[in-house]
Amino acid sequence: MSGAAARAISALRQELLEIDLAGSRSHHCNRVALAVTLAVAVALVLRVDAPWWAAISAFVSTQVTAPASLRRGALRIIGTAISAAAGLLLSPWLIEDQVALSLALFVASSIGVLGLQVSLHGYAWLLGAVTCDMVLLATLDDPTSALSVACNRTAEVTIGTLAAILVSHLLSPREDHAPPRPQAPGWSDLLGAQWASTQHAMRAGLGVMLVPLAWSWLQLPSFSQAAITVAAVMAVPVLSDDDAANRESITARGTHRILGCLIGGLAGLAVLVVSFENFLPWLAALAIGVWIGAHVQASARDIGYVGTQGAVVFIMTMVQGSGPPSSIIPGIERLAGITGGLLIVQIVAILLAPSAARVAAR
């Protein structure tokens, strides 16, 4: 993991040195920052429960072209809404039954990660799994919160996604020059030719299933963040039966996630040293951090996920309530959740690693 971190830090340094405010890449970063600030402003006016979730939705939904943003946004809204409803319907049957809840988390997460790999609309499947996990895990702290969490997450995602689509429609190129997307293999032959993808998804589901058990035993905060971490880190397309290569991909993604988290968290803490009392300076500081995260996310050096995660944590640190933040606790809790999720991923990977005999046979 140290080698992956060193390579990522070196590439990140090069990306920051190559920032060009006049290039086409900077125009995209401008659109991302504008979409995020618009989403935050609307979310604060509407007084939603978690305005940072609207900001994150705007960040990840703003693509290089308008058609790409529309596709991404539509998948995000549809996946979130359907899975929020599913989690809400399931929650009454799972309250105070931790075994049943863990099994539901396993099924939802496995299906979501598998859908990411085999479906043409994989992003919607993954977002669906994450949202369903959040709704179900919310019942651990408050059994009556499922309806509130489902409605709030859907509203926040919709606000942020619509902000991204609006900005993209007005300012992004209309031509979609991206290469054609690879044909998805579909849901057929999951126990045959696509068995590697099925195994991979089940490992992800097992990791999420262990979250409530581990967190209740250790009495740690941020249930939902740990589950999101496991699903996101395990969401690496499995292209072959090479277990070693698959584990390397998962390890690299986990390294980039924790590195981005640390960078975004430290940047947020550095900004919080300045006591923001006015809305506009705070919003400007948020936009600058998001701009840098978008620049790294667009990197061709295979460190885009560092920029994504850094921007997400920076947003969660900066956007906490109805105005400029007054506490660093949300950022600390997110870091704790991510660290716990990564540990769960590594434990699952070690326990389910192929034996030496199987590797030799291959």
mmCIF file of all heavy atoms in Angstrom, residues 184-236:
data_model
loop_
_atom_site.group_PDB
_atom_site.id
_atom_site.type_symbol
_atom_site.label_atom_id
_atom_site.label_comp_id
_atom_site.label_asym_id
_atom_site.label_seq_id
_atom_site.Cartn_x
_atom_site.Cartn_y
_atom_site.Cartn_z
ATOM 1 N N ALA A 184 -21.978 -3.738 -21.901
ATOM 2 C CA ALA A 184 -22.089 -4.437 -20.617
ATOM 3 C C ALA A 184 -22.400 -5.906 -20.868
ATOM 4 O O ALA A 184 -23.180 -6.243 -21.769
ATOM 5 C CB ALA A 184 -23.185 -3.807 -19.768
ATOM 6 N N PRO A 185 -21.812 -6.798 -20.074
ATOM 7 C CA PRO A 185 -22.040 -8.233 -20.301
ATOM 8 C C PRO A 185 -23.455 -8.684 -19.967
ATOM 9 O O PRO A 185 -23.894 -9.737 -20.428
ATOM 10 C CB PRO A 185 -21.013 -8.897 -19.374
ATOM 11 C CG PRO A 185 -20.718 -7.876 -18.324
ATOM 12 C CD PRO A 185 -20.842 -6.544 -19.008
ATOM 13 N N GLY A 186 -24.175 -7.919 -19.156
ATOM 14 C CA GLY A 186 -25.533 -8.314 -18.796
ATOM 15 C C GLY A 186 -25.571 -9.267 -17.616
ATOM 16 O O GLY A 186 -24.542 -9.657 -17.067
ATOM 17 N N TRP A 187 -26.767 -9.660 -17.230
ATOM 18 C CA TRP A 187 -26.968 -10.458 -16.021
ATOM 19 C C TRP A 187 -26.968 -11.964 -16.289
ATOM 20 O O TRP A 187 -27.319 -12.741 -15.402
ATOM 21 C CB TRP A 187 -28.292 -10.070 -15.365
ATOM 22 C CG TRP A 187 -28.310 -8.660 -14.855
ATOM 23 C CD1 TRP A 187 -28.644 -7.535 -15.550
ATOM 24 C CD2 TRP A 187 -27.963 -8.223 -13.531
ATOM 25 N NE1 TRP A 187 -28.528 -6.424 -14.743
ATOM 26 C CE2 TRP A 187 -28.112 -6.819 -13.503
ATOM 27 C CE3 TRP A 187 -27.538 -8.886 -12.379
ATOM 28 C CZ2 TRP A 187 -27.859 -6.060 -12.361
ATOM 29 C CZ3 TRP A 187 -27.284 -8.144 -11.239
ATOM 30 C CH2 TRP A 187 -27.441 -6.749 -11.233
ATOM 31 N N SER A 188 -26.554 -12.365 -17.450
ATOM 32 C CA SER A 188 -26.588 -13.797 -17.784
ATOM 33 C C SER A 188 -25.309 -14.496 -17.345
ATOM 34 O O SER A 188 -24.248 -13.868 -17.217
ATOM 35 C CB SER A 188 -26.770 -13.980 -19.294
ATOM 36 O OG SER A 188 -25.699 -13.399 -19.993
ATOM 37 N N ASP A 189 -25.405 -15.790 -17.093
ATOM 38 C CA ASP A 189 -24.266 -16.668 -16.787
ATOM 39 C C ASP A 189 -23.447 -16.142 -15.596
ATOM 40 O O ASP A 189 -22.219 -16.162 -15.630
ATOM 41 C CB ASP A 189 -23.373 -16.800 -18.022
ATOM 42 C CG ASP A 189 -22.550 -18.100 -17.998
ATOM 43 O OD1 ASP A 189 -22.883 -18.991 -17.183
ATOM 44 O OD2 ASP A 189 -21.578 -18.193 -18.762
ATOM 45 N N LEU A 190 -24.137 -15.716 -14.547
ATOM 46 C CA LEU A 190 -23.442 -15.178 -13.378
ATOM 47 C C LEU A 190 -22.684 -16.252 -12.610
ATOM 48 O O LEU A 190 -21.729 -15.954 -11.889
ATOM 49 C CB LEU A 190 -24.445 -14.494 -12.443
ATOM 50 C CG LEU A 190 -25.153 -13.257 -13.003
ATOM 51 C CD1 LEU A 190 -26.140 -12.698 -11.981
ATOM 52 C CD2 LEU A 190 -24.149 -12.181 -13.415
ATOM 53 N N LEU A 191 -23.103 -17.509 -12.755
ATOM 54 C CA LEU A 191 -22.430 -18.606 -12.059
ATOM 55 C C LEU A 191 -21.435 -19.325 -12.957
ATOM 56 O O LEU A 191 -20.840 -20.321 -12.540
ATOM 57 C CB LEU A 191 -23.463 -19.606 -11.532
ATOM 58 C CG LEU A 191 -24.498 -19.032 -10.554
ATOM 59 C CD1 LEU A 191 -25.467 -20.117 -10.102
ATOM 60 C CD2 LEU A 191 -23.811 -18.398 -9.347
ATOM 61 N N GLY A 192 -21.256 -18.821 -14.180
ATOM 62 C CA GLY A 192 -20.332 -19.438 -15.113
ATOM 63 C C GLY A 192 -19.241 -18.478 -15.534
ATOM 64 O O GLY A 192 -18.272 -18.240 -14.819
ATOM 65 N N ALA A 193 -19.425 -17.875 -16.719
ATOM 66 C CA ALA A 193 -18.397 -16.996 -17.265
ATOM 67 C C ALA A 193 -18.174 -15.756 -16.397
ATOM 68 O O ALA A 193 -17.076 -15.190 -16.390
ATOM 69 C CB ALA A 193 -18.777 -16.575 -18.685
ATOM 70 N N GLN A 194 -19.205 -15.335 -15.681
ATOM 71 C CA GLN A 194 -19.084 -14.134 -14.860
ATOM 72 C C GLN A 194 -18.992 -14.461 -13.360
ATOM 73 O O GLN A 194 -19.328 -13.630 -12.520
ATOM 74 C CB GLN A 194 -20.279 -13.212 -15.108
ATOM 75 C CG GLN A 194 -20.387 -12.733 -16.545
ATOM 76 C CD GLN A 194 -21.358 -11.596 -16.684
ATOM 77 O OE1 GLN A 194 -21.110 -10.479 -16.258
ATOM 78 N NE2 GLN A 194 -22.499 -11.883 -17.291
ATOM 79 N N TRP A 195 -18.520 -15.642 -13.059
ATOM 80 C CA TRP A 195 -18.430 -16.054 -11.656
ATOM 81 C C TRP A 195 -17.467 -15.162 -10.873
ATOM 82 O O TRP A 195 -17.677 -14.894 -9.686
ATOM 83 C CB TRP A 195 -17.996 -17.508 -11.570
ATOM 84 C CG TRP A 195 -17.774 -18.017 -10.179
ATOM 85 C CD1 TRP A 195 -16.635 -18.555 -9.668
ATOM 86 C CD2 TRP A 195 -18.717 -18.026 -9.110
ATOM 87 N NE1 TRP A 195 -16.802 -18.903 -8.354
ATOM 88 C CE2 TRP A 195 -18.086 -18.591 -7.979
ATOM 89 C CE3 TRP A 195 -20.044 -17.619 -8.983
ATOM 90 C CZ2 TRP A 195 -18.710 -18.752 -6.746
ATOM 91 C CZ3 TRP A 195 -20.689 -17.767 -7.762
ATOM 92 C CH2 TRP A 195 -20.020 -18.330 -6.662
ATOM 93 N N ALA A 196 -16.402 -14.674 -11.511
ATOM 94 C CA ALA A 196 -15.461 -13.801 -10.821
ATOM 95 C C ALA A 196 -16.157 -12.524 -10.358
ATOM 96 O O ALA A 196 -15.938 -12.047 -9.239
ATOM 97 C CB ALA A 196 -14.272 -13.462 -11.725
ATOM 98 N N SER A 197 -17.018 -11.968 -11.204
ATOM 99 C CA SER A 197 -17.767 -10.771 -10.814
ATOM 100 C C SER A 197 -18.733 -11.072 -9.676
ATOM 101 O O SER A 197 -18.913 -10.261 -8.759
ATOM 102 C CB SER A 197 -18.538 -10.221 -12.020
ATOM 103 O OG SER A 197 -17.657 -9.796 -13.037
ATOM 104 N N THR A 198 -19.362 -12.236 -9.722
ATOM 105 C CA THR A 198 -20.283 -12.622 -8.651
ATOM 106 C C THR A 198 -19.545 -12.774 -7.332
ATOM 107 O O THR A 198 -20.014 -12.304 -6.286
ATOM 108 C CB THR A 198 -20.991 -13.935 -9.021
ATOM 109 O OG1 THR A 198 -21.666 -13.782 -10.277
ATOM 110 C CG2 THR A 198 -21.991 -14.325 -7.952
ATOM 111 N N GLN A 199 -18.393 -13.431 -7.353
ATOM 112 C CA GLN A 199 -17.596 -13.568 -6.129
ATOM 113 C C GLN A 199 -17.191 -12.208 -5.575
ATOM 114 O O GLN A 199 -17.251 -11.961 -4.367
ATOM 115 C CB GLN A 199 -16.350 -14.404 -6.418
ATOM 116 C CG GLN A 199 -16.590 -15.890 -6.532
ATOM 117 C CD GLN A 199 -15.274 -16.628 -6.731
ATOM 118 O OE1 GLN A 199 -14.480 -16.295 -7.605
ATOM 119 N NE2 GLN A 199 -15.041 -17.634 -5.910
ATOM 120 N N HIS A 200 -16.763 -11.346 -6.459
ATOM 121 C CA HIS A 200 -16.333 -10.018 -6.059
ATOM 122 C C HIS A 200 -17.476 -9.259 -5.386
ATOM 123 O O HIS A 200 -17.298 -8.623 -4.340
ATOM 124 C CB HIS A 200 -15.855 -9.260 -7.300
ATOM 125 C CG HIS A 200 -15.382 -7.873 -7.027
ATOM 126 N ND1 HIS A 200 -14.214 -7.602 -6.372
ATOM 127 C CD2 HIS A 200 -15.932 -6.670 -7.330
ATOM 128 C CE1 HIS A 200 -14.047 -6.292 -6.286
ATOM 129 N NE2 HIS A 200 -15.077 -5.706 -6.855
ATOM 130 N N ALA A 201 -18.670 -9.333 -5.965
ATOM 131 C CA ALA A 201 -19.826 -8.646 -5.391
ATOM 132 C C ALA A 201 -20.200 -9.229 -4.027
ATOM 133 O O ALA A 201 -20.571 -8.500 -3.104
ATOM 134 C CB ALA A 201 -21.012 -8.749 -6.346
ATOM 135 N N MET A 202 -20.086 -10.540 -3.888
ATOM 136 C CA MET A 202 -20.407 -11.168 -2.608
ATOM 137 C C MET A 202 -19.401 -10.778 -1.529
ATOM 138 O O MET A 202 -19.776 -10.622 -0.358
ATOM 139 C CB MET A 202 -20.461 -12.687 -2.779
ATOM 140 C CG MET A 202 -21.618 -13.163 -3.645
ATOM 141 S SD MET A 202 -21.574 -14.933 -4.014
ATOM 142 C CE MET A 202 -21.817 -15.631 -2.394
ATOM 143 N N ARG A 203 -18.147 -10.591 -1.906
ATOM 144 C CA ARG A 203 -17.164 -10.109 -0.933
ATOM 145 C C ARG A 203 -17.542 -8.703 -0.452
ATOM 146 O O ARG A 203 -17.424 -8.387 0.733
ATOM 147 C CB ARG A 203 -15.769 -10.089 -1.553
ATOM 148 C CG ARG A 203 -15.204 -11.471 -1.854
ATOM 149 C CD ARG A 203 -13.748 -11.361 -2.300
ATOM 150 N NE ARG A 203 -13.239 -12.660 -2.739
ATOM 151 C CZ ARG A 203 -12.838 -12.924 -3.964
ATOM 152 N NH1 ARG A 203 -12.865 -11.975 -4.887
ATOM 153 N NH2 ARG A 203 -12.382 -14.121 -4.277
ATOM 154 N N ALA A 204 -17.967 -7.863 -1.398
ATOM 155 C CA ALA A 204 -18.399 -6.518 -1.012
ATOM 156 C C ALA A 204 -19.604 -6.579 -0.078
ATOM 157 O O ALA A 204 -19.675 -5.872 0.935
ATOM 158 C CB ALA A 204 -18.737 -5.702 -2.257
ATOM 159 N N GLY A 205 -20.569 -7.431 -0.414
ATOM 160 C CA GLY A 205 -21.748 -7.573 0.439
ATOM 161 C C GLY A 205 -21.395 -8.077 1.821
ATOM 162 O O GLY A 205 -21.968 -7.624 2.825
ATOM 163 N N LEU A 206 -20.450 -8.998 1.903
ATOM 164 C CA LEU A 206 -20.024 -9.514 3.202
ATOM 165 C C LEU A 206 -19.378 -8.410 4.027
ATOM 166 O O LEU A 206 -19.595 -8.306 5.239
ATOM 167 C CB LEU A 206 -19.045 -10.672 3.004
ATOM 168 C CG LEU A 206 -18.508 -11.316 4.281
ATOM 169 C CD1 LEU A 206 -19.644 -11.872 5.131
ATOM 170 C CD2 LEU A 206 -17.505 -12.418 3.942
ATOM 171 N N GLY A 207 -18.580 -7.573 3.371
ATOM 172 C CA GLY A 207 -17.954 -6.470 4.097
ATOM 173 C C GLY A 207 -18.971 -5.520 4.685
ATOM 174 O O GLY A 207 -18.876 -5.114 5.852
ATOM 175 N N VAL A 208 -19.987 -5.146 3.894
ATOM 176 C CA VAL A 208 -21.031 -4.253 4.401
ATOM 177 C C VAL A 208 -21.833 -4.934 5.503
ATOM 178 O O VAL A 208 -22.222 -4.308 6.487
ATOM 179 C CB VAL A 208 -21.953 -3.804 3.248
ATOM 180 C CG1 VAL A 208 -23.078 -2.928 3.772
ATOM 181 C CG2 VAL A 208 -21.153 -3.047 2.196
ATOM 182 N N MET A 209 -22.090 -6.225 5.343
ATOM 183 C CA MET A 209 -22.862 -6.959 6.340
ATOM 184 C C MET A 209 -22.177 -6.949 7.701
ATOM 185 O O MET A 209 -22.834 -6.965 8.749
ATOM 186 C CB MET A 209 -23.060 -8.402 5.869
ATOM 187 C CG MET A 209 -23.936 -9.240 6.789
ATOM 188 S SD MET A 209 -24.131 -10.942 6.203
ATOM 189 C CE MET A 209 -22.517 -11.611 6.620
ATOM 190 N N LEU A 210 -20.847 -6.909 7.699
ATOM 191 C CA LEU A 210 -20.105 -6.916 8.956
ATOM 192 C C LEU A 210 -20.083 -5.559 9.651
ATOM 193 O O LEU A 210 -19.684 -5.475 10.813
ATOM 194 C CB LEU A 210 -18.662 -7.374 8.696
ATOM 195 C CG LEU A 210 -18.482 -8.817 8.224
ATOM 196 C CD1 LEU A 210 -17.013 -9.091 7.927
ATOM 197 C CD2 LEU A 210 -19.014 -9.790 9.255
ATOM 198 N N VAL A 211 -20.494 -4.505 8.948
ATOM 199 C CA VAL A 211 -20.412 -3.154 9.525
ATOM 200 C C VAL A 211 -21.197 -3.020 10.828
ATOM 201 O O VAL A 211 -20.639 -2.608 11.850
ATOM 202 C CB VAL A 211 -20.858 -2.100 8.498
ATOM 203 C CG1 VAL A 211 -21.056 -0.746 9.165
ATOM 204 C CG2 VAL A 211 -19.822 -1.979 7.403
ATOM 205 N N PRO A 212 -22.505 -3.344 10.868
ATOM 206 C CA PRO A 212 -23.224 -3.156 12.135
ATOM 207 C C PRO A 212 -22.689 -4.023 13.257
ATOM 208 O O PRO A 212 -22.705 -3.616 14.423
ATOM 209 C CB PRO A 212 -24.670 -3.514 11.774
ATOM 210 C CG PRO A 212 -24.579 -4.333 10.547
ATOM 211 C CD PRO A 212 -23.397 -3.822 9.800
ATOM 212 N N LEU A 213 -22.212 -5.220 12.921
ATOM 213 C CA LEU A 213 -21.661 -6.089 13.961
ATOM 214 C C LEU A 213 -20.390 -5.491 14.551
ATOM 215 O O LEU A 213 -20.225 -5.414 15.777
ATOM 216 C CB LEU A 213 -21.376 -7.470 13.375
ATOM 217 C CG LEU A 213 -22.571 -8.222 12.768
ATOM 218 C CD1 LEU A 213 -22.119 -9.514 12.126
ATOM 219 C CD2 LEU A 213 -23.621 -8.491 13.845
ATOM 220 N N ALA A 214 -19.489 -5.033 13.670
ATOM 221 C CA ALA A 214 -18.231 -4.459 14.150
ATOM 222 C C ALA A 214 -18.464 -3.157 14.896
ATOM 223 O O ALA A 214 -17.862 -2.903 15.945
ATOM 224 C CB ALA A 214 -17.291 -4.235 12.963
ATOM 225 N N TRP A 215 -19.358 -2.329 14.369
ATOM 226 C CA TRP A 215 -19.569 -1.011 14.995
ATOM 227 C C TRP A 215 -20.262 -1.133 16.356
ATOM 228 O O TRP A 215 -19.971 -0.390 17.271
ATOM 229 C CB TRP A 215 -20.371 -0.123 14.050
ATOM 230 C CG TRP A 215 -19.557 0.995 13.467
ATOM 231 C CD1 TRP A 215 -19.790 2.333 13.612
ATOM 232 C CD2 TRP A 215 -18.388 0.881 12.678
ATOM 233 N NE1 TRP A 215 -18.828 3.044 12.941
ATOM 234 C CE2 TRP A 215 -17.949 2.174 12.355
ATOM 235 C CE3 TRP A 215 -17.636 -0.205 12.199
ATOM 236 C CZ2 TRP A 215 -16.824 2.420 11.597
ATOM 237 C CZ3 TRP A 215 -16.529 0.035 11.429
ATOM 238 C CH2 TRP A 215 -16.130 1.332 11.144
ATOM 239 N N SER A 216 -21.206 -2.064 16.484
ATOM 240 C CA SER A 216 -21.858 -2.243 17.778
ATOM 241 C C SER A 216 -20.893 -2.825 18.800
ATOM 242 O O SER A 216 -20.959 -2.511 19.994
ATOM 243 C CB SER A 216 -23.079 -3.160 17.625
ATOM 244 O OG SER A 216 -22.675 -4.439 17.166
ATOM 245 N N TRP A 217 -19.978 -3.651 18.338
ATOM 246 C CA TRP A 217 -18.993 -4.248 19.244
ATOM 247 C C TRP A 217 -17.969 -3.212 19.699
ATOM 248 O O TRP A 217 -17.634 -3.119 20.878
ATOM 249 C CB TRP A 217 -18.291 -5.419 18.549
ATOM 250 C CG TRP A 217 -17.238 -6.071 19.394
ATOM 251 C CD1 TRP A 217 -17.367 -6.517 20.678
ATOM 252 C CD2 TRP A 217 -15.880 -6.341 19.015
ATOM 253 N NE1 TRP A 217 -16.184 -7.055 21.127
ATOM 254 C CE2 TRP A 217 -15.245 -6.962 20.122
ATOM 255 C CE3 TRP A 217 -15.147 -6.146 17.851
ATOM 256 C CZ2 TRP A 217 -13.916 -7.365 20.091
ATOM 257 C CZ3 TRP A 217 -13.835 -6.556 17.818
ATOM 258 C CH2 TRP A 217 -13.226 -7.154 18.936
ATOM 259 N N LEU A 218 -17.502 -2.385 18.768
ATOM 260 C CA LEU A 218 -16.482 -1.390 19.091
ATOM 261 C C LEU A 218 -17.069 -0.054 19.534
ATOM 262 O O LEU A 218 -16.331 0.826 19.980
ATOM 263 C CB LEU A 218 -15.584 -1.159 17.867
ATOM 264 C CG LEU A 218 -14.793 -2.380 17.385
ATOM 265 C CD1 LEU A 218 -14.058 -2.061 16.097
ATOM 266 C CD2 LEU A 218 -13.818 -2.838 18.461
ATOM 267 N N GLN A 219 -18.403 0.117 19.364
ATOM 268 C CA GLN A 219 -19.084 1.360 19.746
ATOM 269 C C GLN A 219 -18.450 2.575 19.059
ATOM 270 O O GLN A 219 -18.077 3.557 19.691
ATOM 271 C CB GLN A 219 -19.078 1.532 21.269
ATOM 272 C CG GLN A 219 -19.842 0.457 22.014
ATOM 273 C CD GLN A 219 -19.885 0.687 23.511
ATOM 274 O OE1 GLN A 219 -19.197 1.550 24.043
ATOM 275 N NE2 GLN A 219 -20.712 -0.082 24.201
ATOM 276 N N LEU A 220 -18.359 2.491 17.723
ATOM 277 C CA LEU A 220 -17.769 3.557 16.926
ATOM 278 C C LEU A 220 -18.860 4.343 16.208
ATOM 279 O O LEU A 220 -19.967 3.847 16.006
ATOM 280 C CB LEU A 220 -16.795 2.957 15.900
ATOM 281 C CG LEU A 220 -15.581 2.234 16.489
ATOM 282 C CD1 LEU A 220 -14.787 1.586 15.378
ATOM 283 C CD2 LEU A 220 -14.711 3.205 17.274
ATOM 284 N N PRO A 221 -18.547 5.585 15.776
ATOM 285 C CA PRO A 221 -19.542 6.407 15.086
ATOM 286 C C PRO A 221 -19.585 6.114 13.589
ATOM 287 O O PRO A 221 -18.789 5.349 13.057
ATOM 288 C CB PRO A 221 -19.029 7.836 15.329
ATOM 289 C CG PRO A 221 -17.541 7.661 15.379
ATOM 290 C CD PRO A 221 -17.307 6.325 16.042
ATOM 291 N N SER A 222 -20.532 6.759 12.900
ATOM 292 C CA SER A 222 -20.609 6.777 11.440
ATOM 293 C C SER A 222 -20.813 5.394 10.831
ATOM 294 O O SER A 222 -20.020 4.914 10.043
ATOM 295 C CB SER A 222 -19.363 7.427 10.850
ATOM 296 O OG SER A 222 -19.535 7.725 9.501
ATOM 297 N N PHE A 223 -21.940 4.754 11.180
ATOM 298 C CA PHE A 223 -22.306 3.480 10.574
ATOM 299 C C PHE A 223 -22.345 3.584 9.055
ATOM 300 O O PHE A 223 -21.717 2.822 8.337
ATOM 301 C CB PHE A 223 -23.708 3.064 11.039
ATOM 302 C CG PHE A 223 -23.718 2.325 12.343
ATOM 303 C CD1 PHE A 223 -24.221 2.929 13.478
ATOM 304 C CD2 PHE A 223 -23.253 1.037 12.430
ATOM 305 C CE1 PHE A 223 -24.256 2.252 14.677
ATOM 306 C CE2 PHE A 223 -23.287 0.342 13.630
ATOM 307 C CZ PHE A 223 -23.787 0.956 14.753
ATOM 308 N N SER A 224 -23.132 4.537 8.555
ATOM 309 C CA SER A 224 -23.393 4.609 7.121
ATOM 310 C C SER A 224 -22.131 4.888 6.338
ATOM 311 O O SER A 224 -21.944 4.365 5.237
ATOM 312 C CB SER A 224 -24.443 5.689 6.827
ATOM 313 O OG SER A 224 -23.997 6.951 7.276
ATOM 314 N N GLN A 225 -21.217 5.709 6.858
ATOM 315 C CA GLN A 225 -20.010 6.012 6.117
ATOM 316 C C GLN A 225 -19.129 4.780 5.941
ATOM 317 O O GLN A 225 -18.508 4.591 4.896
ATOM 318 C CB GLN A 225 -19.209 7.114 6.821
ATOM 319 C CG GLN A 225 -17.973 7.537 6.057
ATOM 320 C CD GLN A 225 -18.292 7.879 4.620
ATOM 321 O OE1 GLN A 225 -19.200 8.649 4.353
ATOM 322 N NE2 GLN A 225 -17.554 7.288 3.697
ATOM 323 N N ALA A 226 -19.072 3.938 6.955
ATOM 324 C CA ALA A 226 -18.288 2.714 6.820
ATOM 325 C C ALA A 226 -18.875 1.819 5.739
ATOM 326 O O ALA A 226 -18.138 1.223 4.942
ATOM 327 C CB ALA A 226 -18.244 1.981 8.154
ATOM 328 N N ALA A 227 -20.177 1.700 5.687
ATOM 329 C CA ALA A 227 -20.808 0.873 4.659
ATOM 330 C C ALA A 227 -20.575 1.444 3.271
ATOM 331 O O ALA A 227 -20.294 0.709 2.313
ATOM 332 C CB ALA A 227 -22.308 0.764 4.927
ATOM 333 N N ILE A 228 -20.679 2.769 3.130
ATOM 334 C CA ILE A 228 -20.416 3.394 1.843
ATOM 335 C C ILE A 228 -18.979 3.151 1.427
ATOM 336 O O ILE A 228 -18.679 2.892 0.261
ATOM 337 C CB ILE A 228 -20.710 4.907 1.928
ATOM 338 C CG1 ILE A 228 -22.207 5.143 2.154
ATOM 339 C CG2 ILE A 228 -20.262 5.619 0.655
ATOM 340 C CD1 ILE A 228 -22.543 6.573 2.465
ATOM 341 N N THR A 229 -18.058 3.220 2.379
ATOM 342 C CA THR A 229 -16.647 2.994 2.087
ATOM 343 C C THR A 229 -16.431 1.588 1.540
ATOM 344 O O THR A 229 -15.744 1.397 0.535
ATOM 345 C CB THR A 229 -15.799 3.194 3.351
ATOM 346 O OG1 THR A 229 -15.895 4.548 3.767
ATOM 347 C CG2 THR A 229 -14.345 2.849 3.092
ATOM 348 N N VAL A 230 -17.003 0.589 2.202
ATOM 349 C CA VAL A 230 -16.827 -0.785 1.752
ATOM 350 C C VAL A 230 -17.363 -0.949 0.341
ATOM 351 O O VAL A 230 -16.690 -1.508 -0.543
ATOM 352 C CB VAL A 230 -17.535 -1.757 2.716
ATOM 353 C CG1 VAL A 230 -17.494 -3.169 2.158
ATOM 354 C CG2 VAL A 230 -16.875 -1.710 4.082
ATOM 355 N N ALA A 231 -18.572 -0.454 0.084
ATOM 356 C CA ALA A 231 -19.167 -0.602 -1.243
ATOM 357 C C ALA A 231 -18.345 0.123 -2.300
ATOM 358 O O ALA A 231 -18.109 -0.397 -3.390
ATOM 359 C CB ALA A 231 -20.598 -0.077 -1.232
ATOM 360 N N ALA A 232 -17.884 1.328 -1.975
ATOM 361 C CA ALA A 232 -17.144 2.115 -2.957
ATOM 362 C C ALA A 232 -15.773 1.518 -3.240
ATOM 363 O O ALA A 232 -15.322 1.462 -4.384
ATOM 364 C CB ALA A 232 -17.005 3.556 -2.474
ATOM 365 N N VAL A 233 -15.074 1.073 -2.204
ATOM 366 C CA VAL A 233 -13.747 0.494 -2.406
ATOM 367 C C VAL A 233 -13.844 -0.822 -3.159
ATOM 368 O O VAL A 233 -13.008 -1.128 -4.007
ATOM 369 C CB VAL A 233 -13.044 0.286 -1.049
ATOM 370 C CG1 VAL A 233 -11.751 -0.497 -1.228
ATOM 371 C CG2 VAL A 233 -12.745 1.628 -0.403
ATOM 372 N N MET A 234 -14.873 -1.608 -2.875
ATOM 373 C CA MET A 234 -15.017 -2.884 -3.559
ATOM 374 C C MET A 234 -15.574 -2.709 -4.966
ATOM 375 O O MET A 234 -15.578 -3.662 -5.751
ATOM 376 C CB MET A 234 -15.954 -3.800 -2.761
ATOM 377 C CG MET A 234 -15.426 -4.196 -1.396
ATOM 378 S SD MET A 234 -13.932 -5.197 -1.469
ATOM 379 C CE MET A 234 -14.601 -6.766 -2.043
ATOM 380 N N ALA A 235 -16.041 -1.510 -5.302
ATOM 381 C CA ALA A 235 -16.648 -1.268 -6.612
ATOM 382 C C ALA A 235 -15.582 -1.082 -7.677
ATOM 383 O O ALA A 235 -15.476 -0.051 -8.318
ATOM 384 C CB ALA A 235 -17.561 -0.044 -6.555
ATOM 385 N N VAL A 236 -14.733 -2.085 -7.850
ATOM 386 C CA VAL A 236 -13.695 -2.089 -8.874
ATOM 387 C C VAL A 236 -14.063 -3.158 -9.888
ATOM 388 O O VAL A 236 -14.250 -4.319 -9.521
ATOM 389 C CB VAL A 236 -12.314 -2.402 -8.270
ATOM 390 C CG1 VAL A 236 -11.243 -2.389 -9.349
ATOM 391 C CG2 VAL A 236 -11.988 -1.411 -7.169
#
